Amino acid sequence: LLIKYAKMGVHCTMVNVTEGRLTNPTATEEEKQAYLDNVRRENNEVAKAMGCDAYNMRYTSKTVPSEQEFIKILKDYMIKEGVDCVVTHWRGTMHERHYFTYQTVTRAVLELRKEGYKIQLLYGENCEDLIGFTYPSPSLKEVRIGTQGKNLEAGTEAETMEECCLLICSLGLLPLLSI
């Protein structure tokens, strides 16, 4: 999806909340740093290949802020960047950090909608977040709560879904969707 919209001229940004860490107890500090450097380089290369920017928040599972604090951080970021579409993790995940991201991103977007921001919220499936994910379309669902917009890709079956999840934000998308 990001590749598709980036090719249409939409400014897209891949946001990486956590970057992982090398947990081998025998790893040296140099090996741990080399691992992080490689993860950051790969994230930037992938984003560039997709026509997107990359923003690495540089948290680890141990340093992610509290839920309320992180929702505020996300809201501030979305306002500053003028975000109008977010694609994030689905709630049916096998990873605690993915669920945390699903929960906080969803709440941040819903709060911003209540404040008058027009942000479309989509959930993209990946092989790790499939619990409860149904397929009215091959790849996307949209949270319909609080939006009068049209569904992006999911088709008419998804129009009645209230919940439908990769933390990726794109800018300038709504005008292209006529929402």
Side-chain angles (χ1 to χ4, degrees):
L1 183 65
L2 291 176
I3 295 168
K4 175 182 175 178
Y5 291 114
K7 285 182 179 179
M8 294 170 61
V10 175
H11 178 235
C12 300
T13 304
M14 290 180 52
V15 178
N16 300 291
V17 176
T18 59
E19 56 188 358
R21 64 190 186 284
L22 189 58
T23 58
N24 180 343
T26 63
T28 65
E29 289 305 312
E30 293 80 21
E31 290 170 324
K32 291 176 183 179
Q33 187 59 51
Y35 173 83
L36 276 178
D37 293 343
N38 187 58
V39 166
R40 292 170 183 162
R41 181 186 51 75
E42 287 178 349
N43 286 341
N44 288 328
E45 288 175 2
V46 167
K48 183 178 179 183
M50 294 173 63
C52 304
D53 290 337
Y55 173 54
N56 186 346
M57 299 180 99
R58 296 190 174 203
Y59 293 114
T60 67
S61 58
K62 292 182 179 185
T63 62
V64 172
S66 70
E67 189 172 310
Q68 284 301 78
E69 184 182 348
F70 193 58
I71 289 168
K72 181 180 181 343
I73 290 167
L74 290 170
K75 287 173 63 176
D76 290 346
Y77 174 80
M78 290 180 202
I79 291 168
K80 177 179 150 239
E81 295 297 320
V83 172
D84 58 18
C85 183
V86 174
V87 182
T88 193
H89 288 284
W90 169 238
R91 68 180 173 168
T93 182
M94 55 200 297
H95 292 294
E96 187 176 322
R97 288 175 306 284
H98 290 191
Y99 183 78
F100 178 83
T101 302
Y102 157 82
Q103 184 71 20
T104 54
V105 170
T106 299
R107 288 204 31 223
V109 169
L110 295 178
E111 287 180 19
L112 286 171
R113 285 178 177 175
K114 287 180 183 175
E115 295 171 22
Y117 294 91
K118 295 181 188 281
I119 301 175
Q120 187 158 358
L121 178 58
L122 304 171
Y123 298 97
E125 65 90 8
N126 68 49
C127 64
E128 297 176 334
D129 299 339
L130 295 177
I131 300 166
F133 195 95
T134 58
Y135 296 90
S137 85
S139 61
L140 291 179
K141 293 183 181 185
E142 178 188 4
V143 171
R144 301 300 299 167
I145 301 168
T147 181
Q148 299 302 313
K150 293 183 171 67
N151 201 334
L152 186 73
E153 301 262 319
T156 56
E157 303 95 319
E159 292 296 311
T160 59
M161 304 232 175
E162 288 188 346
E163 290 186 349
C164 311
C165 246
L166 206 101
L167 181 58
I168 300 172
C169 303
S170 61
L171 310 175
L173 184 57
L174 289 180
L176 294 173
L177 298 173
S178 301
I179 295 178

PDB file of all heavy atoms in Angstrom, residues 116-152:
ATOM      1  N   GLY A 116     -11.182  16.826  16.015  1.00  0.00           N
ATOM      2  CA  GLY A 116     -11.445  17.417  14.706  1.00  0.00           C
ATOM      3  C   GLY A 116     -10.461  17.058  13.607  1.00  0.00           C
ATOM      4  O   GLY A 116     -10.629  17.516  12.477  1.00  0.00           O
ATOM      5  N   TYR A 117      -9.451  16.264  13.905  1.00  0.00           N
ATOM      6  CA  TYR A 117      -8.503  15.853  12.866  1.00  0.00           C
ATOM      7  C   TYR A 117      -9.113  14.736  12.030  1.00  0.00           C
ATOM      8  O   TYR A 117      -9.757  13.844  12.567  1.00  0.00           O
ATOM      9  CB  TYR A 117      -7.179  15.388  13.485  1.00  0.00           C
ATOM     10  CG  TYR A 117      -6.428  16.493  14.172  1.00  0.00           C
ATOM     11  CD1 TYR A 117      -6.615  16.757  15.527  1.00  0.00           C
ATOM     12  CD2 TYR A 117      -5.541  17.294  13.458  1.00  0.00           C
ATOM     13  CE1 TYR A 117      -5.937  17.779  16.157  1.00  0.00           C
ATOM     14  CE2 TYR A 117      -4.861  18.325  14.089  1.00  0.00           C
ATOM     15  CZ  TYR A 117      -5.061  18.559  15.430  1.00  0.00           C
ATOM     16  OH  TYR A 117      -4.396  19.577  16.046  1.00  0.00           O
ATOM     17  N   LYS A 118      -8.912  14.824  10.733  1.00  0.00           N
ATOM     18  CA  LYS A 118      -9.423  13.798   9.831  1.00  0.00           C
ATOM     19  C   LYS A 118      -8.285  12.838   9.510  1.00  0.00           C
ATOM     20  O   LYS A 118      -7.432  13.132   8.677  1.00  0.00           O
ATOM     21  CB  LYS A 118      -9.977  14.424   8.557  1.00  0.00           C
ATOM     22  CG  LYS A 118     -11.190  15.292   8.808  1.00  0.00           C
ATOM     23  CD  LYS A 118     -11.711  15.873   7.508  1.00  0.00           C
ATOM     24  CE  LYS A 118     -12.772  16.882   7.771  1.00  0.00           C
ATOM     25  NZ  LYS A 118     -14.055  16.379   8.060  1.00  0.00           N
ATOM     26  N   ILE A 119      -8.289  11.707  10.209  1.00  0.00           N
ATOM     27  CA  ILE A 119      -7.247  10.703  10.035  1.00  0.00           C
ATOM     28  C   ILE A 119      -7.910   9.356   9.770  1.00  0.00           C
ATOM     29  O   ILE A 119      -8.722   8.897  10.571  1.00  0.00           O
ATOM     30  CB  ILE A 119      -6.341  10.596  11.278  1.00  0.00           C
ATOM     31  CG1 ILE A 119      -5.684  11.945  11.576  1.00  0.00           C
ATOM     32  CG2 ILE A 119      -5.280   9.508  11.077  1.00  0.00           C
ATOM     33  CD1 ILE A 119      -4.871  11.970  12.857  1.00  0.00           C
ATOM     34  N   GLN A 120      -7.553   8.757   8.668  1.00  0.00           N
ATOM     35  CA  GLN A 120      -8.046   7.428   8.353  1.00  0.00           C
ATOM     36  C   GLN A 120      -7.160   6.403   9.073  1.00  0.00           C
ATOM     37  O   GLN A 120      -5.935   6.534   9.081  1.00  0.00           O
ATOM     38  CB  GLN A 120      -8.008   7.190   6.850  1.00  0.00           C
ATOM     39  CG  GLN A 120      -8.669   5.901   6.459  1.00  0.00           C
ATOM     40  CD  GLN A 120      -9.110   5.918   5.015  1.00  0.00           C
ATOM     41  OE1 GLN A 120      -8.957   6.907   4.317  1.00  0.00           O
ATOM     42  NE2 GLN A 120      -9.679   4.823   4.571  1.00  0.00           N
ATOM     43  N   LEU A 121      -7.781   5.387   9.671  1.00  0.00           N
ATOM     44  CA  LEU A 121      -7.051   4.374  10.422  1.00  0.00           C
ATOM     45  C   LEU A 121      -7.262   3.018   9.768  1.00  0.00           C
ATOM     46  O   LEU A 121      -8.393   2.554   9.638  1.00  0.00           O
ATOM     47  CB  LEU A 121      -7.530   4.343  11.877  1.00  0.00           C
ATOM     48  CG  LEU A 121      -6.905   3.311  12.805  1.00  0.00           C
ATOM     49  CD1 LEU A 121      -5.388   3.484  12.868  1.00  0.00           C
ATOM     50  CD2 LEU A 121      -7.510   3.425  14.194  1.00  0.00           C
ATOM     51  N   LEU A 122      -6.162   2.413   9.347  1.00  0.00           N
ATOM     52  CA  LEU A 122      -6.214   1.116   8.674  1.00  0.00           C
ATOM     53  C   LEU A 122      -5.357   0.115   9.419  1.00  0.00           C
ATOM     54  O   LEU A 122      -4.407   0.485  10.107  1.00  0.00           O
ATOM     55  CB  LEU A 122      -5.688   1.245   7.240  1.00  0.00           C
ATOM     56  CG  LEU A 122      -6.381   2.281   6.358  1.00  0.00           C
ATOM     57  CD1 LEU A 122      -5.617   2.449   5.056  1.00  0.00           C
ATOM     58  CD2 LEU A 122      -7.815   1.873   6.093  1.00  0.00           C
ATOM     59  N   TYR A 123      -5.708  -1.155   9.254  1.00  0.00           N
ATOM     60  CA  TYR A 123      -4.949  -2.240   9.857  1.00  0.00           C
ATOM     61  C   TYR A 123      -4.484  -3.167   8.754  1.00  0.00           C
ATOM     62  O   TYR A 123      -5.293  -3.678   7.995  1.00  0.00           O
ATOM     63  CB  TYR A 123      -5.819  -3.001  10.849  1.00  0.00           C
ATOM     64  CG  TYR A 123      -6.295  -2.136  11.987  1.00  0.00           C
ATOM     65  CD1 TYR A 123      -7.555  -1.547  11.953  1.00  0.00           C
ATOM     66  CD2 TYR A 123      -5.484  -1.889  13.070  1.00  0.00           C
ATOM     67  CE1 TYR A 123      -7.984  -0.739  12.987  1.00  0.00           C
ATOM     68  CE2 TYR A 123      -5.909  -1.088  14.111  1.00  0.00           C
ATOM     69  CZ  TYR A 123      -7.160  -0.515  14.061  1.00  0.00           C
ATOM     70  OH  TYR A 123      -7.579   0.299  15.090  1.00  0.00           O
ATOM     71  N   GLY A 124      -3.174  -3.372   8.669  1.00  0.00           N
ATOM     72  CA  GLY A 124      -2.629  -4.249   7.645  1.00  0.00           C
ATOM     73  C   GLY A 124      -2.235  -5.578   8.243  1.00  0.00           C
ATOM     74  O   GLY A 124      -1.633  -5.641   9.309  1.00  0.00           O
ATOM     75  N   GLU A 125      -2.587  -6.653   7.577  1.00  0.00           N
ATOM     76  CA  GLU A 125      -2.212  -7.955   8.117  1.00  0.00           C
ATOM     77  C   GLU A 125      -0.753  -8.258   7.823  1.00  0.00           C
ATOM     78  O   GLU A 125      -0.192  -7.799   6.834  1.00  0.00           O
ATOM     79  CB  GLU A 125      -3.121  -9.059   7.572  1.00  0.00           C
ATOM     80  CG  GLU A 125      -3.020  -9.312   6.089  1.00  0.00           C
ATOM     81  CD  GLU A 125      -1.983 -10.352   5.679  1.00  0.00           C
ATOM     82  OE1 GLU A 125      -1.397 -11.035   6.533  1.00  0.00           O
ATOM     83  OE2 GLU A 125      -1.754 -10.456   4.473  1.00  0.00           O
ATOM     84  N   ASN A 126      -0.170  -8.971   8.721  1.00  0.00           N
ATOM     85  CA  ASN A 126       1.129  -9.585   8.474  1.00  0.00           C
ATOM     86  C   ASN A 126       1.088 -10.961   9.112  1.00  0.00           C
ATOM     87  O   ASN A 126       0.166 -11.286   9.840  1.00  0.00           O
ATOM     88  CB  ASN A 126       2.292  -8.709   8.973  1.00  0.00           C
ATOM     89  CG  ASN A 126       2.359  -8.591  10.478  1.00  0.00           C
ATOM     90  OD1 ASN A 126       2.300  -9.577  11.194  1.00  0.00           O
ATOM     91  ND2 ASN A 126       2.468  -7.366  10.971  1.00  0.00           N
ATOM     92  N   CYS A 127       2.040 -11.770   8.852  1.00  0.00           N
ATOM     93  CA  CYS A 127       1.976 -13.164   9.305  1.00  0.00           C
ATOM     94  C   CYS A 127       1.982 -13.307  10.821  1.00  0.00           C
ATOM     95  O   CYS A 127       1.684 -14.381  11.323  1.00  0.00           O
ATOM     96  CB  CYS A 127       3.101 -13.975   8.679  1.00  0.00           C
ATOM     97  SG  CYS A 127       4.744 -13.425   9.208  1.00  0.00           S
ATOM     98  N   GLU A 128       2.262 -12.260  11.555  1.00  0.00           N
ATOM     99  CA  GLU A 128       2.322 -12.350  13.011  1.00  0.00           C
ATOM    100  C   GLU A 128       1.084 -11.792  13.708  1.00  0.00           C
ATOM    101  O   GLU A 128       0.962 -11.920  14.914  1.00  0.00           O
ATOM    102  CB  GLU A 128       3.546 -11.594  13.528  1.00  0.00           C
ATOM    103  CG  GLU A 128       4.842 -12.185  13.043  1.00  0.00           C
ATOM    104  CD  GLU A 128       6.049 -11.372  13.476  1.00  0.00           C
ATOM    105  OE1 GLU A 128       5.908 -10.160  13.701  1.00  0.00           O
ATOM    106  OE2 GLU A 128       7.128 -11.968  13.592  1.00  0.00           O
ATOM    107  N   ASP A 129       0.174 -11.175  12.983  1.00  0.00           N
ATOM    108  CA  ASP A 129      -0.975 -10.511  13.598  1.00  0.00           C
ATOM    109  C   ASP A 129      -2.298 -11.021  13.044  1.00  0.00           C
ATOM    110  O   ASP A 129      -3.203 -10.251  12.758  1.00  0.00           O
ATOM    111  CB  ASP A 129      -0.898  -8.989  13.373  1.00  0.00           C
ATOM    112  CG  ASP A 129       0.330  -8.355  13.995  1.00  0.00           C
ATOM    113  OD1 ASP A 129       0.907  -8.956  14.910  1.00  0.00           O
ATOM    114  OD2 ASP A 129       0.699  -7.262  13.566  1.00  0.00           O
ATOM    115  N   LEU A 130      -2.460 -12.304  12.884  1.00  0.00           N
ATOM    116  CA  LEU A 130      -3.616 -12.830  12.164  1.00  0.00           C
ATOM    117  C   LEU A 130      -4.769 -13.294  13.044  1.00  0.00           C
ATOM    118  O   LEU A 130      -5.832 -13.609  12.520  1.00  0.00           O
ATOM    119  CB  LEU A 130      -3.172 -13.993  11.264  1.00  0.00           C
ATOM    120  CG  LEU A 130      -2.216 -13.591  10.142  1.00  0.00           C
ATOM    121  CD1 LEU A 130      -1.793 -14.822   9.364  1.00  0.00           C
ATOM    122  CD2 LEU A 130      -2.858 -12.573   9.226  1.00  0.00           C
ATOM    123  N   ILE A 131      -4.618 -13.352  14.349  1.00  0.00           N
ATOM    124  CA  ILE A 131      -5.680 -13.852  15.209  1.00  0.00           C
ATOM    125  C   ILE A 131      -6.891 -12.933  15.100  1.00  0.00           C
ATOM    126  O   ILE A 131      -6.824 -11.748  15.405  1.00  0.00           O
ATOM    127  CB  ILE A 131      -5.202 -13.956  16.670  1.00  0.00           C
ATOM    128  CG1 ILE A 131      -4.020 -14.908  16.759  1.00  0.00           C
ATOM    129  CG2 ILE A 131      -6.345 -14.419  17.576  1.00  0.00           C
ATOM    130  CD1 ILE A 131      -3.276 -14.826  18.086  1.00  0.00           C
ATOM    131  N   GLY A 132      -8.004 -13.459  14.613  1.00  0.00           N
ATOM    132  CA  GLY A 132      -9.228 -12.681  14.470  1.00  0.00           C
ATOM    133  C   GLY A 132      -9.271 -11.776  13.262  1.00  0.00           C
ATOM    134  O   GLY A 132     -10.233 -11.048  13.053  1.00  0.00           O
ATOM    135  N   PHE A 133      -8.255 -11.801  12.448  1.00  0.00           N
ATOM    136  CA  PHE A 133      -8.223 -10.961  11.248  1.00  0.00           C
ATOM    137  C   PHE A 133      -8.969 -11.684  10.147  1.00  0.00           C
ATOM    138  O   PHE A 133      -8.651 -12.813   9.806  1.00  0.00           O
ATOM    139  CB  PHE A 133      -6.770 -10.720  10.817  1.00  0.00           C
ATOM    140  CG  PHE A 133      -6.609  -9.593   9.825  1.00  0.00           C
ATOM    141  CD1 PHE A 133      -6.289  -8.322  10.272  1.00  0.00           C
ATOM    142  CD2 PHE A 133      -6.756  -9.797   8.466  1.00  0.00           C
ATOM    143  CE1 PHE A 133      -6.126  -7.270   9.377  1.00  0.00           C
ATOM    144  CE2 PHE A 133      -6.593  -8.761   7.574  1.00  0.00           C
ATOM    145  CZ  PHE A 133      -6.281  -7.496   8.033  1.00  0.00           C
ATOM    146  N   THR A 134     -10.022 -11.061   9.626  1.00  0.00           N
ATOM    147  CA  THR A 134     -10.777 -11.668   8.531  1.00  0.00           C
ATOM    148  C   THR A 134     -10.436 -10.958   7.240  1.00  0.00           C
ATOM    149  O   THR A 134      -9.846  -9.881   7.247  1.00  0.00           O
ATOM    150  CB  THR A 134     -12.285 -11.598   8.802  1.00  0.00           C
ATOM    151  OG1 THR A 134     -12.649 -10.228   8.982  1.00  0.00           O
ATOM    152  CG2 THR A 134     -12.658 -12.410  10.035  1.00  0.00           C
ATOM    153  N   TYR A 135     -10.827 -11.513   6.139  1.00  0.00           N
ATOM    154  CA  TYR A 135     -10.350 -11.052   4.846  1.00  0.00           C
ATOM    155  C   TYR A 135     -11.460 -10.597   3.907  1.00  0.00           C
ATOM    156  O   TYR A 135     -11.725 -11.239   2.917  1.00  0.00           O
ATOM    157  CB  TYR A 135      -9.539 -12.157   4.163  1.00  0.00           C
ATOM    158  CG  TYR A 135      -8.301 -12.482   4.922  1.00  0.00           C
ATOM    159  CD1 TYR A 135      -8.291 -13.448   5.901  1.00  0.00           C
ATOM    160  CD2 TYR A 135      -7.140 -11.760   4.685  1.00  0.00           C
ATOM    161  CE1 TYR A 135      -7.145 -13.718   6.612  1.00  0.00           C
ATOM    162  CE2 TYR A 135      -5.988 -12.028   5.397  1.00  0.00           C
ATOM    163  CZ  TYR A 135      -6.001 -13.005   6.354  1.00  0.00           C
ATOM    164  OH  TYR A 135      -4.871 -13.259   7.054  1.00  0.00           O
ATOM    165  N   PRO A 136     -12.101  -9.456   4.182  1.00  0.00           N
ATOM    166  CA  PRO A 136     -13.006  -8.930   3.168  1.00  0.00           C
ATOM    167  C   PRO A 136     -12.216  -8.448   1.957  1.00  0.00           C
ATOM    168  O   PRO A 136     -12.740  -8.317   0.876  1.00  0.00           O
ATOM    169  CB  PRO A 136     -13.723  -7.774   3.866  1.00  0.00           C
ATOM    170  CG  PRO A 136     -12.816  -7.389   4.981  1.00  0.00           C
ATOM    171  CD  PRO A 136     -12.054  -8.634   5.363  1.00  0.00           C
ATOM    172  N   SER A 137     -10.947  -8.161   2.157  1.00  0.00           N
ATOM    173  CA  SER A 137     -10.038  -7.834   1.069  1.00  0.00           C
ATOM    174  C   SER A 137      -8.713  -8.503   1.401  1.00  0.00           C
ATOM    175  O   SER A 137      -8.504  -8.924   2.522  1.00  0.00           O
ATOM    176  CB  SER A 137      -9.841  -6.320   0.954  1.00  0.00           C
ATOM    177  OG  SER A 137      -8.833  -5.871   1.815  1.00  0.00           O
ATOM    178  N   PRO A 138      -7.817  -8.580   0.460  1.00  0.00           N
ATOM    179  CA  PRO A 138      -6.564  -9.271   0.724  1.00  0.00           C
ATOM    180  C   PRO A 138      -5.691  -8.634   1.789  1.00  0.00           C
ATOM    181  O   PRO A 138      -4.906  -9.309   2.414  1.00  0.00           O
ATOM    182  CB  PRO A 138      -5.839  -9.236  -0.619  1.00  0.00           C
ATOM    183  CG  PRO A 138      -6.815  -8.776  -1.617  1.00  0.00           C
ATOM    184  CD  PRO A 138      -7.952  -8.140  -0.892  1.00  0.00           C
ATOM    185  N   SER A 139      -5.790  -7.314   2.015  1.00  0.00           N
ATOM    186  CA  SER A 139      -4.773  -6.737   2.869  1.00  0.00           C
ATOM    187  C   SER A 139      -5.221  -5.702   3.882  1.00  0.00           C
ATOM    188  O   SER A 139      -4.469  -5.405   4.787  1.00  0.00           O
ATOM    189  CB  SER A 139      -3.688  -6.105   2.001  1.00  0.00           C
ATOM    190  OG  SER A 139      -4.249  -5.090   1.216  1.00  0.00           O
ATOM    191  N   LEU A 140      -6.393  -5.107   3.769  1.00  0.00           N
ATOM    192  CA  LEU A 140      -6.702  -3.983   4.651  1.00  0.00           C
ATOM    193  C   LEU A 140      -8.091  -4.026   5.241  1.00  0.00           C
ATOM    194  O   LEU A 140      -9.024  -4.531   4.650  1.00  0.00           O
ATOM    195  CB  LEU A 140      -6.595  -2.663   3.883  1.00  0.00           C
ATOM    196  CG  LEU A 140      -5.221  -2.237   3.460  1.00  0.00           C
ATOM    197  CD1 LEU A 140      -5.321  -0.939   2.708  1.00  0.00           C
ATOM    198  CD2 LEU A 140      -4.316  -2.063   4.650  1.00  0.00           C
ATOM    199  N   LYS A 141      -8.206  -3.431   6.407  1.00  0.00           N
ATOM    200  CA  LYS A 141      -9.489  -3.140   7.038  1.00  0.00           C
ATOM    201  C   LYS A 141      -9.406  -1.704   7.527  1.00  0.00           C
ATOM    202  O   LYS A 141      -8.328  -1.151   7.666  1.00  0.00           O
ATOM    203  CB  LYS A 141      -9.722  -4.043   8.241  1.00  0.00           C
ATOM    204  CG  LYS A 141      -9.907  -5.492   7.903  1.00  0.00           C
ATOM    205  CD  LYS A 141     -10.202  -6.222   9.179  1.00  0.00           C
ATOM    206  CE  LYS A 141     -10.386  -7.683   8.916  1.00  0.00           C
ATOM    207  NZ  LYS A 141     -10.786  -8.375  10.119  1.00  0.00           N
ATOM    208  N   GLU A 142     -10.526  -1.129   7.841  1.00  0.00           N
ATOM    209  CA  GLU A 142     -10.514   0.231   8.389  1.00  0.00           C
ATOM    210  C   GLU A 142     -11.392   0.276   9.612  1.00  0.00           C
ATOM    211  O   GLU A 142     -12.446  -0.339   9.654  1.00  0.00           O
ATOM    212  CB  GLU A 142     -11.066   1.219   7.372  1.00  0.00           C
ATOM    213  CG  GLU A 142     -11.117   2.622   7.931  1.00  0.00           C
ATOM    214  CD  GLU A 142     -11.826   3.611   7.045  1.00  0.00           C
ATOM    215  OE1 GLU A 142     -12.363   3.212   6.020  1.00  0.00           O
ATOM    216  OE2 GLU A 142     -11.851   4.781   7.410  1.00  0.00           O
ATOM    217  N   VAL A 143     -10.969   1.009  10.620  1.00  0.00           N
ATOM    218  CA  VAL A 143     -11.817   1.267  11.772  1.00  0.00           C
ATOM    219  C   VAL A 143     -12.825   2.323  11.342  1.00  0.00           C
ATOM    220  O   VAL A 143     -12.448   3.415  10.940  1.00  0.00           O
ATOM    221  CB  VAL A 143     -10.999   1.771  12.972  1.00  0.00           C
ATOM    222  CG1 VAL A 143     -11.918   2.232  14.085  1.00  0.00           C
ATOM    223  CG2 VAL A 143     -10.099   0.664  13.470  1.00  0.00           C
ATOM    224  N   ARG A 144     -14.087   1.999  11.423  1.00  0.00           N
ATOM    225  CA  ARG A 144     -15.137   2.889  10.951  1.00  0.00           C
ATOM    226  C   ARG A 144     -15.606   3.853  12.045  1.00  0.00           C
ATOM    227  O   ARG A 144     -16.356   4.756  11.777  1.00  0.00           O
ATOM    228  CB  ARG A 144     -16.336   2.065  10.461  1.00  0.00           C
ATOM    229  CG  ARG A 144     -15.986   1.098   9.335  1.00  0.00           C
ATOM    230  CD  ARG A 144     -15.438   1.766   8.109  1.00  0.00           C
ATOM    231  NE  ARG A 144     -16.425   2.665   7.578  1.00  0.00           N
ATOM    232  CZ  ARG A 144     -16.216   3.572   6.666  1.00  0.00           C
ATOM    233  NH1 ARG A 144     -15.017   3.721   6.172  1.00  0.00           N
ATOM    234  NH2 ARG A 144     -17.162   4.348   6.226  1.00  0.00           N
ATOM    235  N   ILE A 145     -15.209   3.646  13.274  1.00  0.00           N
ATOM    236  CA  ILE A 145     -15.660   4.484  14.382  1.00  0.00           C
ATOM    237  C   ILE A 145     -15.196   5.915  14.166  1.00  0.00           C
ATOM    238  O   ILE A 145     -14.022   6.171  13.965  1.00  0.00           O
ATOM    239  CB  ILE A 145     -15.101   3.954  15.713  1.00  0.00           C
ATOM    240  CG1 ILE A 145     -15.575   2.518  15.935  1.00  0.00           C
ATOM    241  CG2 ILE A 145     -15.517   4.850  16.876  1.00  0.00           C
ATOM    242  CD1 ILE A 145     -14.854   1.818  17.053  1.00  0.00           C
ATOM    243  N   GLY A 146     -16.114   6.860  14.179  1.00  0.00           N
ATOM    244  CA  GLY A 146     -15.764   8.268  14.164  1.00  0.00           C
ATOM    245  C   GLY A 146     -15.328   8.814  12.828  1.00  0.00           C
ATOM    246  O   GLY A 146     -14.770   9.891  12.777  1.00  0.00           O
ATOM    247  N   THR A 147     -15.564   8.121  11.750  1.00  0.00           N
ATOM    248  CA  THR A 147     -15.161   8.656  10.451  1.00  0.00           C
ATOM    249  C   THR A 147     -16.332   8.594   9.483  1.00  0.00           C
ATOM    250  O   THR A 147     -17.119   7.665   9.499  1.00  0.00           O
ATOM    251  CB  THR A 147     -13.961   7.898   9.851  1.00  0.00           C
ATOM    252  OG1 THR A 147     -13.637   8.508   8.602  1.00  0.00           O
ATOM    253  CG2 THR A 147     -14.233   6.439   9.602  1.00  0.00           C
ATOM    254  N   GLN A 148     -16.434   9.582   8.672  1.00  0.00           N
ATOM    255  CA  GLN A 148     -17.452   9.598   7.634  1.00  0.00           C
ATOM    256  C   GLN A 148     -16.840   9.256   6.276  1.00  0.00           C
ATOM    257  O   GLN A 148     -17.497   9.314   5.254  1.00  0.00           O
ATOM    258  CB  GLN A 148     -18.113  10.985   7.552  1.00  0.00           C
ATOM    259  CG  GLN A 148     -18.811  11.386   8.830  1.00  0.00           C
ATOM    260  CD  GLN A 148     -19.881  10.405   9.229  1.00  0.00           C
ATOM    261  OE1 GLN A 148     -20.694  10.005   8.416  1.00  0.00           O
ATOM    262  NE2 GLN A 148     -19.881   9.990  10.479  1.00  0.00           N
ATOM    263  N   GLY A 149     -15.583   8.893   6.281  1.00  0.00           N
ATOM    264  CA  GLY A 149     -14.861   8.622   5.039  1.00  0.00           C
ATOM    265  C   GLY A 149     -15.248   7.310   4.409  1.00  0.00           C
ATOM    266  O   GLY A 149     -15.929   6.479   4.993  1.00  0.00           O
ATOM    267  N   LYS A 150     -14.810   7.137   3.199  1.00  0.00           N
ATOM    268  CA  LYS A 150     -15.026   5.895   2.478  1.00  0.00           C
ATOM    269  C   LYS A 150     -13.881   4.948   2.783  1.00  0.00           C
ATOM    270  O   LYS A 150     -12.763   5.366   3.008  1.00  0.00           O
ATOM    271  CB  LYS A 150     -15.075   6.166   0.977  1.00  0.00           C
ATOM    272  CG  LYS A 150     -16.275   6.981   0.560  1.00  0.00           C
ATOM    273  CD  LYS A 150     -16.280   7.123  -0.950  1.00  0.00           C
ATOM    274  CE  LYS A 150     -17.554   7.731  -1.439  1.00  0.00           C
ATOM    275  NZ  LYS A 150     -17.744   9.089  -1.066  1.00  0.00           N
ATOM    276  N   ASN A 151     -14.206   3.650   2.779  1.00  0.00           N
ATOM    277  CA  ASN A 151     -13.163   2.669   3.038  1.00  0.00           C
ATOM    278  C   ASN A 151     -12.187   2.661   1.880  1.00  0.00           C
ATOM    279  O   ASN A 151     -12.562   2.754   0.720  1.00  0.00           O
ATOM    280  CB  ASN A 151     -13.791   1.295   3.226  1.00  0.00           C
ATOM    281  CG  ASN A 151     -12.881   0.363   3.969  1.00  0.00           C
ATOM    282  OD1 ASN A 151     -11.668   0.533   3.926  1.00  0.00           O
ATOM    283  ND2 ASN A 151     -13.445  -0.611   4.639  1.00  0.00           N
ATOM    284  N   LEU A 152     -10.904   2.532   2.192  1.00  0.00           N
ATOM    285  CA  LEU A 152      -9.854   2.632   1.199  1.00  0.00           C
ATOM    286  C   LEU A 152      -9.825   1.458   0.236  1.00  0.00           C
ATOM    287  O   LEU A 152      -9.883   1.635  -0.961  1.00  0.00           O
ATOM    288  CB  LEU A 152      -8.515   2.746   1.923  1.00  0.00           C
ATOM    289  CG  LEU A 152      -7.312   3.001   1.045  1.00  0.00           C
ATOM    290  CD1 LEU A 152      -7.342   4.425   0.549  1.00  0.00           C
ATOM    291  CD2 LEU A 152      -6.032   2.768   1.830  1.00  0.00           C
TER     292      LEU A 152
END
